Amino acid sequence: MKTISKPLALTAAIALSLSASAWAAAPVATTDAFTVLTLEQTPGDLDAAVVAAQLEKLQVDALTVRNVERRADRVDPLQGLADALGYHYRFVTADPAAAQQTGSVVLTRLPIEAESGTERPSLNYLRLNDGRHVVALYTSAADAAALPPLVTGSRLGAPAVLLGAVSADAATTAGFDPSRVALEANESYFSDGFQSATSAAIKLRTHEGKKGTTAATLLTLGYAAPVGGDTPWMDTGLNADARAKALVAQMTVDEKFQMLHSYFGLGKDGGPLPEGAVGSAGFVPGVPRLGIPAQQSADAGVGVTNPGGLRKGDHATAMPSGPSTASSWNPDIAFAGGATMGREAWQQRFNILLAGSVNLQRDPRNGRNFEYAGEDPLLAGVLVGESIRGVQSQHVISTMKHFALNDMETSRNFHSAEIGEQAMRESDLLAFEIAMDIGKPGSAMCSYNRINGTYGCEHDYLMNEVLKQEWKFPGFVMSDWGGVHSGSKAALAGLDQQSAGEVFDKAVYFDEPLRLAVAGGVVPQARLDDMVGRILRTMFAHGNFDLPPVHEPIDDEAGFHAAQRTVEEGSVLLRNADDLLPLGKDVQRIVIIGGHADKGVIGGGGSSMVGWTARGTNAVPGVMPTTWPGPVIFHPSSPLEALRAERPDARIDYVDGRDVAAAARAAAAADVAIVFATQWSAESVDLPHMQLPDNQDKLIAGVAKANPKTVVVLETNGPVELPWLQQVPAILQAWYPGIRGGEGIAALLTGKVNPSGRLPVTWPTGVSQLPRPHVNGLGFNPKNKPDDTIDYDIEGANVGYKWFAAKGLTPQYAFGHGLSYTSFGYDNLQVVVEGQRVVASVDVRNTGKVAGADVPQLYLQLPQGSTTPIRLIGFQKVTLQPGESRRIRIEAEPKTLASFDTAAKQWKIAGGQYEVQLSRAANAPVQRVPLELAEQVVR
């Protein structure tokens, strides 16, 4: 819905008023305003059409409703109201885990630039953009202690409104002047940036009829006059777009072009760093005369990098890999990981992180899967979106990458990903769309590869039509390093900034070639200003001007905590025959074998490698390859030492595993043998097969033959073949577990922590089950030349578990699979439908003897004959004590119920009969409920 600034005079509001009280004597009739309509509770009977008509007439910017009771087994009628209006809906509660939730609801017609989430229970922050101004809106459920840090970290000088039952002391501590009370009865406050406040009591009609009314309060806040002066772009009361527009108008042509291409932040060909560069992936000089800060970009797929230890004294937390985060199925884990990376980047002087990797896993051999979040667009979109939101909560811009279909590394700079538009929209692009909606990334990074013959960084359909026009992405598009092939063509297709072209591209296309194109009228001046404006508005929106980074020590312990929590929730117990795990006190002699487990845990290679941590650098130097995309790194976190710390009562020995016979003898003498198996992968090269390298399959088989109580811990990029599966009773998939991998794995093996990870990918038995069993050019020094194209039309939108369902294949382990040391029961599944909203509720009980977490998964079985047979539509992680039962609520993402109509450019739900399945994994439904959906367009 188009939004505009409006005058304060609201004749409709006055007509409805029963009484009014004004805070300020100053006249406000000609001043722009921000309006909030407040209800004390949800009306018992609400006709969405009737209420919507009044809100549209009033042009209310936000509607807040307090004391809302949201039941697990129904759709909130206020959500239906938001859908009818095309408004954003946010629900905030003090207890997100409760079945019967009480809290407040905010509906807003204005675009949301940033927001808080479940990481701040009982508090809500929305940064709203009304087309000219920006407002920081806070709603509170009386969590006075948490309010000040939220306001301090998020307001950035914007006009602020605080609504809710907050005391004057709490408001003062949060930075509000208690004399600026907007609604004294409800203890609501506003800040400088507003010059006046008027409240009016009105009767809001909730349905047709004489008695269909409810009491409401209309708060109207008049904006203060613009600051003006010589630097109007530093007026924090203006939104990022207005500030950027004012700044662009003051820039010279040279200053504009300076913004459009970054330099390699590590210097060219081993030469000196660009003047002013901190020392990392990218650097754009600032413009001191206008107060424009430099852009300092760091690689951060799994943590803030410090290539070669160039920045002396800087180190960062090496987070677990993307699949580990995705395996948690926990948005809070993803947010915490992102916030850790963002905080540490800010403390190392970076204001841009090359994070937010959301490419889907279409093939387990993709060497970069360790940066991504699995095969499903909903799961990947939600988790990566939360990670992006976490990064940006620290006032660091995050990218969203690699846009799009960069799903294999082989010949990535040249190959073309071939796929139909509908299939692309319902798979990879849906993951990006969901991640963008949740994370609101400041930048998108276009990919190396071609898509249907056109390079990602020259792709008008992807960058202009989809990203900027349909999705209304307000940020800027930067290229991947070495992804630009033209000047005017790329600029007209939607690329806004070339990355390190002086090192990675054939030319700095966004300097002289683009200058000539603009001067000759090939690229309009308006497009040049749009490119610069998008970069600047992103910097304004994320605090780069108002809260620049400060070089200071990082909080190592906070980083360790976030990393270990991710390992513990993201490792997946694949197999546990005869309950071999957790290791009981009767297990007194343990042998650890292989995987350099005496030293550390393996990590992925390429630009995302975090080589310098609080514990030092590579624990096992010299493992080949030692040059790009290496070196192979082992983070200094020894599973052996961690297990010894957890079990000081046991004898725990280590054997390196190079000699299979020696390893077997050691295993035979132990109560339990634990083999650590590793698989290294890296950016720029795909794995040649799905097998463990270096004879590790033979090692595992030999150890298992010697000791039937053998545990295998896998530290891999993704699924691998398991030829020894039936010989090994217990398997723990730990992915690349990061700087606290040893401690996390030890906690899981001993039962100090109950495994709760669920697979974010389907685990095939081997390459024969893949859509493309053979791909030319895989691995280092391949025998066959890589193909020019990759045919993704083979599976289309049926990625992973959808492919297996469509083809009737049985995987080794299904998407969503994962075991626990306890057990869970499901009862009383109910599903309700209102419009495009589908809400399921179910009783989940911990039927075992220890506490644990479960992930009930909701799938939609499509009608017979549908191209896609099944889709994940929702999920919820729940932690329960032994015997505890809780009714949980799972709300479906509307787009997962729909198909994309390429002609109408709309998501449409086809009317008909469906089935909702509550499952433990994609192929393991526990309860089924028939569902009828009406034909409709998803709004």
Side-chain angles (χ1 to χ4, degrees):
M1 177 177 290
K2 184 177 180 181
T3 60
I4 57 173
S5 296
K6 58 198 175 302
L8 270 179
L10 295 171
T11 56
I14 295 172
L16 289 170
S17 295
L18 298 181
S19 62
S21 60
W23 170 81
V28 295
T30 60
T31 307
D32 285 347
F34 177 74
T35 56
V36 182
L37 187 66
T38 300
L39 281 67
E40 283 305 311
Q41 59 186 18
T42 307
D45 184 8
L46 189 152
D47 186 318
V50 172
V51 176
Q54 293 171 90
L55 295 179
E56 288 184 319
K57 188 175 181 180
L58 290 169
Q59 291 193 56
V60 170
D61 292 320
L63 169 68
T64 66
V65 185
R66 298 168 178 154
N67 303 309
V68 176
E69 291 188 358
R70 188 169 76 164
R71 292 169 46 186
D73 58 353
R74 64 172 293 184
V75 177
D76 184 353
L78 293 169
Q79 195 165 23
L81 174 62
D83 289 340
L85 284 163
Y87 279 26
H88 304 283
Y89 166 95
R90 297 294 184 269
F91 176 76
V92 57
T93 178
D95 186 6
Q100 189 78 12
Q101 297 175 337
T102 300
S104 60
V105 166
V106 178
L107 274 63
T108 178
R109 71 189 187 101
L110 303 181
I112 299 172
E113 287 189 348
E115 62 183 306
S116 60
T118 56
E119 78 280 358
R120 292 191 181 274
S122 83
L123 288 173
N124 192 45
Y125 157 65
L126 297 174
R127 193 174 187 84
L128 304 177
N129 180 345
D130 81 346
R132 174 66 177 168
H133 304 278
V134 64
V135 175
L137 176 66
Y138 302 90
T139 59
S140 170
D143 190 343
L147 183 62
L150 173 62
V151 176
T152 300
S154 60
R155 184 187 165 193
L156 293 177
V161 186
L162 173 59
L163 302 173
V166 180
S167 67
D169 288 343
T172 302
T173 306
F176 289 88
D177 182 348
S179 67
R180 299 172 70 85
V181 182
L183 298 171
E184 295 208 30
N186 297 308
E187 297 174 314
S188 297
Y189 304 86
F190 66 102
S191 73
D192 52 351
F194 292 114
Q195 70 173 3
S196 60
T198 301
S199 63
I202 68 172
K203 288 291 186 179
L204 185 71
R205 284 192 301 115
T206 56
H207 62 275
E208 295 294 350
K210 293 182 179 180
K211 295 183 179 180
T213 61
T214 190
T217 303
L218 182 66
L219 171 64
T220 304
L221 298 170
Y223 290 110
V227 173
D230 296 333
T231 57
W233 54 88
M234 295 307 293
D235 183 350
T236 57
L238 299 178
N239 66 18
D241 301 279
R243 296 175 72 179
K245 183 178 180 180
L247 183 50
V248 170
Q250 299 299 315
M251 298 177 73
T252 67
V253 171
D254 287 343
E255 288 166 346
K256 291 177 181 178
F257 274 97
Q258 181 174 301
M259 301 291 293
L260 301 185
H261 60 90
S262 67
Y263 297 95
F264 190 39
L266 301 177
K268 183 176 181 181
D269 301 328
L273 273 60
E275 184 178 354
V278 169
S280 195
F283 169 70
V284 178
V287 183
R289 80 171 187 92
L290 297 173
I292 301 175
Q295 297 167 54
Q296 306 275 6
S297 302
D299 282 303
V302 289
V304 183
T305 61
N306 183 7
L310 179 68
R311 303 190 311 276
K312 301 301 182 184
D314 275 359
H315 62 265
T317 301
M319 294 297 295
S321 62
S324 180
T325 298
S327 293
S328 74
W329 291 62
N330 187 343
D332 290 343
I333 290 288
F335 177 89
T340 298
M341 294 191 294
R343 182 180 64 251
E344 294 181 0
W346 193 89
Q347 292 167 333
Q348 295 181 51
R349 295 170 287 174
F350 294 105
N351 52 15
I352 301 175
L353 273 191
L354 310 180
S357 302
V358 73
N359 298 88
L360 293 187
Q361 178 171 316
R362 288 177 176 265
D363 194 308
R365 295 166 294 189
N366 178 9
R368 214 168 181 179
N369 281 336
F370 72 91
E371 292 188 41
Y372 302 148
E375 69 190 26
D376 181 75
L378 176 62
L379 180 65
V382 169
L383 273 291
V384 177
E386 287 292 342
S387 177
I388 291 170
R389 194 172 65 82
V391 170
Q392 295 188 158
S393 73
Q394 305 301 306
H395 310 299
V396 174
I397 296 165
S398 176
T399 61
M400 176 180 71
K401 63 182 186 180
H402 307 86
F403 194 66
L405 275 297
N406 189 175
D407 297 342
M408 292 290 282
E409 291 293 284
T410 296
S411 190
R412 64 180 182 175
N413 295 82
F414 309 103
H415 80 242
S416 179
E418 300 292 310
I419 188 169
E421 183 181 7
Q422 181 180 352
M424 177 166 49
R425 288 293 193 119
E426 294 176 7
S427 55
D428 291 63
L429 291 194
L430 179 56
F432 278 102
E433 187 175 4
I434 293 171
M436 193 196 76
D437 287 345
I438 293 172
K440 301 173 182 63
S443 179
M445 181 189 291
C446 53
S447 60
Y448 288 122
N449 54 291
R450 293 177 291 142
I451 301 94
N452 296 325
T454 301
Y455 280 110
C457 294
E458 296 178 348
H459 215 291
D460 178 77
Y461 171 77
L462 287 176
M463 293 189 292
N464 277 335
E465 184 176 333
V466 174
L467 184 66
K468 293 182 176 179
Q469 295 171 19
E470 293 187 27
W471 296 354
K472 296 179 174 56
F473 175 65
F476 71 101
V477 180
M478 70 167 68
S479 74
D480 207 337
W481 274 233
V484 182
H485 303 270
S486 63
S488 58
K489 183 178 181 180
L492 292 172
L495 180 64
D496 299 304
Q497 187 181 76
Q498 180 182 10
S499 303
E502 85 284 3
V503 172
F504 293 92
D505 296 318
K506 291 182 179 179
V508 184
Y509 294 105
F510 275 26
D511 194 358
E512 289 301 322
L514 188 58
R515 286 176 185 261
L516 292 172
V518 173
V522 176
V523 174
Q525 179 68 39
R527 173 63 185 131
L528 172 64
D529 289 349
D530 175 60
M531 296 163 75
V532 177
R534 284 177 173 271
I535 296 167
L536 291 173
R537 69 90 50 206
T538 300
M539 297 176 71
F540 279 121
H542 295 284
N544 291 177
F545 282 80
D546 307 310
L547 194 66
V550 177
H551 200 196
E552 59 188 27
I554 71 168
D555 186 338
D556 294 324
E557 289 303 318
F560 286 164
H561 175 77
Q564 185 164 341
R565 187 180 170 207
T566 305
V567 178
E568 292 173 350
E569 288 208 34
S571 297
V572 184
L573 185 61
L574 296 175
R575 178 174 166 85
N576 195 23
D578 300 322
D579 294 329
L580 178 58
L581 293 176
L583 301 173
K585 292 297 183 182
D586 58 319
V587 177
Q588 287 295 306
R589 187 166 182 179
I590 302 168
V591 62
I592 306 295
I593 300 170
H596 297 288
D598 60 327
K599 301 292 185 182
V601 292
I602 200 167
S607 62
S608 66
M609 185 188 72
V610 181
W612 298 86
T613 73
R615 289 176 163 176
T617 185
N618 200 345
V620 189
V623 179
M624 299 297 288
T626 55
T627 57
W628 175 266
V632 175
I633 191 167
F634 282 79
H635 298 299
S637 177
S638 165
L640 172 66
E641 296 305 322
L643 197 58
R644 284 173 172 169
E646 290 292 341
R647 289 294 309 276
D649 59 311
R651 173 180 171 180
I652 305 177
D653 300 316
Y654 175 74
V655 177
D656 64 23
R658 296 176 188 176
D659 184 329
V660 175
R665 287 194 296 273
D671 296 330
V672 171
I674 306 175
V675 182
F676 282 76
T678 61
Q679 173 205 54
W680 183 73
S681 72
E683 177 185 356
S684 81
V685 61
D686 291 319
L687 295 163
H689 47 64
M690 282 183 60
Q691 299 163 9
L692 288 170
D694 303 324
N695 213 31
Q696 291 179 97
D697 286 328
K698 184 177 180 181
L699 170 66
I700 295 169
V703 169
K705 184 177 180 179
N707 188 334
K709 293 186 176 181
T710 293
V711 178
V712 173
V713 177
L714 295 171
E715 297 171 22
T716 66
N717 176 57
V720 294
E721 294 181 12
L722 308 174
W724 33 262
L725 175 62
Q726 297 307 316
Q727 302 169 255
V728 172
I731 305 171
L732 180 71
Q733 171 59 272
W735 312 103
Y736 294 160
I739 193 59
R740 293 286 282 189
E743 289 82 357
I745 291 168
L748 290 162
L749 292 177
T750 59
K752 181 179 181 180
V753 172
N754 192 344
S756 63
R758 303 292 185 265
L759 286 177
V761 293
T762 303
W763 197 293
T765 58
V767 296
S768 64
Q769 291 188 320
L770 302 178
R772 286 161 297 282
H774 175 75
V775 177
N776 286 320
L778 300 182
F780 290 107
N781 303 314
K783 295 180 180 178
N784 301 315
K785 179 179 177 291
D787 295 325
D788 292 331
T789 63
I790 300 178
D791 184 5
Y792 289 132
D793 276 323
I794 294 172
E795 73 272 30
N798 289 339
V799 181
Y801 67 91
K802 300 169 188 175
W803 166 260
F804 277 73
K807 297 298 179 181
L809 299 172
T810 301
Q812 195 79 75
Y813 295 111
F815 172 86
H817 168 78
L819 303 178
S820 170
Y821 296 149
T822 189
S823 55
F824 299 91
Y826 302 156
D827 292 300
N828 193 26
L829 173 66
Q830 295 180 349
V831 180
V832 295
V833 182
E834 289 187 22
Q836 67 182 29
R837 301 292 172 181
V838 173
V839 172
S841 57
V842 63
D843 296 321
V844 183
R845 179 180 293 277
N846 182 341
T847 57
K849 298 180 179 179
V850 296
D854 192 27
V855 186
Q857 302 156 39
L858 205 65
Y859 295 87
L860 185 70
Q861 184 77 43
L862 278 72
Q864 189 73 28
S866 299
T867 303
T868 299
I870 189 172
R871 292 173 178 162
L872 178 72
I873 61 173
F875 58 90
Q876 181 68 52
K877 193 163 195 174
V878 56
T879 300
L880 299 170
Q881 295 299 314
E884 183 183 3
S885 179
R886 186 179 306 159
R887 189 156 190 82
I888 66 166
R889 182 180 193 272
I890 306 176
E891 183 169 342
E893 159 57 48
K895 289 187 178 71
T896 63
L897 311 174
S899 298
F900 189 79
D901 185 328
T902 58
K905 306 300 181 187
Q906 292 177 324
W907 288 92
K908 293 183 177 179
I909 298 174
Q913 295 293 324
Y914 297 78
E915 182 179 83
V916 170
Q917 299 177 353
L918 182 70
S919 304
R920 301 189 188 279
N923 66 352
V926 178
Q927 295 188 36
R928 306 170 188 262
V929 172
L931 180 71
E932 183 173 356
L933 295 175
E935 182 176 346
Q936 59 191 294
V937 173
V938 174
R939 298 186 65 176

